[in-house]
Amino acid sequence: MNRQRIFSGIQPSGNLHLGNYLGAIKNWVKLQDEYDSIFCVVDLHAITVPQNPEELRKKTLEVAKIYLAAGIDPEKCSIFIQSHVSEHTELMWILNTITKIPELNKMTQFKDKSVSSDVSNISIGAGLLNYPVLMAADILLYDTNLVPVGEDQLQHIEITRTLAKRFNKRFGETFVIPEPYIQKEGMRIMGLDDPTKKMSKSASSEYNYIALTDDEETIRKKIKKAVTDSGSEIVYCDDKPALKNLINIYSLLSDTPPKEIEKKYENKGYADFKSDLADVAVSFMKPFQKKMKEYDDEKVLEILRQGAERVRPLAKKKLEEVKKKIGFVI
Ligand code: ATP
Ligand code: LTN
């Protein structure tokens, strides 16, 4: 049976949050039965901004534990660490040579990150500029058909398609042209402290997000402090972006449609709603975190190594084809 292939990844930088879960990982879990699925922990991408080495090691395993606790099944999918398959960096170098600098300069993420306060001028490395080329290599190495990501990644998939077409035109059919796969549900969870910006692990305040590792007390405190809109009724509409976001989170975590939530709180106020939302978040998080703890570092590493063994032959084969086409002596 020839199933379509999906590939996606998350950087082991910062604290993974409900936005990453609802916008990305939760959807992967649904897709794994239907597609030949490869999920990566993209440590090579994480080092495009400065990382503490000990933290990076810890976060890399933590992201894998989050994949597993969320229900990604290593029997059905391949889960691996990007730097374990060196073909990613090799293909990236080759793709670099057909990438134009203005194509990279105009990427929104590059523009945002290179002016962000965390990355000083001195440390805006070439890695940050070349980030999308590495992402293209990740995707193209495996003949990926679909890339399930949040809408913030669309521009990177577009450049991946451009590079694949350019290579194919110059050297002959080699790469499958991938498509983005954006699921409407959970597409954009906004920051708890500012509903005009997406929830983000690189946010300056930890009150922006609920991390998947936050304890009960922290979750309750963060929800209590979350900004709300004027007025006191619990209604789901665009004029009340803060409340809409909180209702979205409630709805996605409890599988309750927003309209039903509105009805439930018809004669109640923010205090009741927030207190129940905190209960909903805590009852999602407790079993999730319990599952995370069931995986010790050794067990996770074993799963990740097996994942790398499984995908490496695919990557090797594609890279060899590329090398032959461009005239390298094999
Ligand atoms: P940063 O904000 O530090 O750039 P991030 O939180 O966006 O990081 P990524 O590793 O860049 O995390 O993204 C991982 C996946 O999670 C991507 O598919 C991305 O689209 C998705 N994602 C990230 N934030 C959100 C959000 N607030 N709502 C929905 N999906 C999100
Ligand atoms: N840039 C992506 C992470 C990422 C990715 C990929 C996603 C790296 N390589 C390949 C999909 C496919 C992000 O979500 N921030």
Side-chain angles (χ1 to χ4, degrees):
M1 192 174 55
N2 238 352
R3 290 191 301 172
Q4 290 229 310
R5 177 164 297 138
I6 59 174
F7 182 105
S8 199
I10 294 187
Q11 303 181 65
S13 54
N15 293 318
L16 257 67
H17 49 69
L18 278 179
N20 297 125
Y21 173 73
L22 297 171
I25 305 168
K26 191 175 178 218
N27 297 324
W28 303 354
V29 177
K30 288 194 214 139
L31 296 170
Q32 66 182 343
D33 291 314
E34 207 178 321
Y35 294 94
D36 178 5
S37 311
I38 307 180
F39 301 117
C40 191
V41 184
V42 291
D43 54 349
L44 296 166
H45 277 106
I47 60 162
T48 55
V49 296
Q51 300 291 341
N52 170 302
E54 267 321 305
E55 266 303 284
L56 179 62
R57 229 185 313 275
K58 191 173 144 240
K59 291 282 169 198
T60 302
L61 296 179
E62 192 177 288
V63 172
K65 288 180 193 174
I66 287 173
Y67 289 180
L68 295 164
I72 301 217
D73 180 352
E75 300 284 319
K76 294 182 191 159
C77 328
S78 304
I79 312 177
F80 73 106
I81 301 176
Q82 190 184 27
S83 65
H84 283 187
V85 181
S86 57
E87 283 76 8
H88 289 242
T89 1
E90 259 189 275
L91 179 60
M92 179 213 184
W93 176 255
I94 295 167
L95 293 176
N96 255 333
T97 64
I98 62 161
T99 308
K100 299 169 188 177
I101 291 172
E103 287 172 331
L104 298 175
N105 264 327
K106 70 170 192 211
M107 292 286 127
T108 330
Q109 181 181 292
F110 172 67
K111 286 193 276 186
D112 288 352
K113 288 205 177 174
S114 54
V115 297
S116 95
S117 51
D118 303 359
V119 185
S120 71
N121 269 329
I122 309 160
S123 57
I124 297 173
L128 200 56
L129 183 67
N130 288 311
Y131 181 113
V133 189
L134 179 59
M135 183 158 158
D138 296 341
I139 296 169
L140 299 178
L141 264 182
Y142 301 102
D143 287 337
T144 303
N145 304 100
L146 295 170
V147 188
V149 280
E151 61 177 352
D152 56 313
Q153 295 299 312
L154 277 178
Q155 223 186 5
H156 291 158
I157 296 174
E158 208 36 63
I159 194 171
T160 302
R161 289 166 56 84
T162 304
L163 295 178
K165 286 180 195 161
R166 189 173 297 154
F167 188 98
N168 287 352
K169 192 159 174 227
R170 208 171 288 175
F171 301 104
E173 268 323 294
T174 309
F175 295 123
V176 170
I177 313 297
E179 303 273 350
Y181 187 95
I182 311 278
Q183 291 214 320
K184 247 187 134 63
E185 243 188 27
M187 193 163 73
R188 225 164 129 81
I189 301 296
M190 311 311 276
L192 297 183
D193 58 347
D194 178 0
T196 63
K197 297 203 186 89
K198 71 163 194 155
M199 187 176 279
S200 161
K201 48 182 145 81
S202 45
S204 53
S205 161
E206 63 164 324
Y207 286 97
N208 169 274
Y209 57 80
I210 295 179
L212 293 169
T213 47
D214 277 346
D215 60 22
E216 175 167 356
E217 195 190 330
T218 311
I219 296 170
R220 292 193 185 278
K221 196 162 69 190
K222 285 182 175 177
I223 291 178
K224 209 170 195 171
K225 270 189 93 138
V227 299
T228 45
D229 309 280
S230 55
S232 58
E233 334 83 292
I234 307 301
V235 280
Y236 186 75
C237 63
D238 290 336
D239 305 347
K240 294 184 184 284
L243 191 53
K244 186 176 177 197
N245 187 43
L246 294 179
I247 295 178
N248 269 336
I249 296 174
Y250 191 130
S251 161
L252 290 164
L253 287 180
S254 64
D255 272 325
T256 316
K259 282 283 154 215
E260 236 174 77
I261 298 173
E262 259 186 353
K263 220 164 152 203
K264 185 169 173 192
Y265 294 95
E266 232 163 31
N267 296 312
K268 296 181 181 166
Y270 277 121
D272 284 328
F273 170 73
K274 277 189 163 184
S275 155
D276 289 356
L277 172 59
D279 288 344
V280 166
V282 169
S283 42
F284 161 76
M285 216 69 103
K286 275 202 170 153
F288 186 89
Q289 291 174 354
K290 185 164 169 265
K291 271 194 221 138
M292 272 182 79
K293 288 206 184 88
E294 282 166 16
Y295 293 95
D296 60 51
D297 289 0
E298 269 314 305
K299 190 167 166 190
V300 174
L301 200 50
E302 186 48 36
I303 291 172
L304 291 165
R305 288 197 178 117
Q306 280 171 6
E309 292 309 316
R310 216 177 312 158
V311 299
R312 192 173 291 113
L314 300 171
K316 271 194 182 318
K317 186 162 172 252
K318 182 58 69 178
L319 186 64
E320 189 155 311
E321 184 186 348
V322 167
K323 286 180 173 175
K324 273 190 197 145
K325 293 222 165 113
I326 60 178
F328 284 1
V329 175
I330 302 291

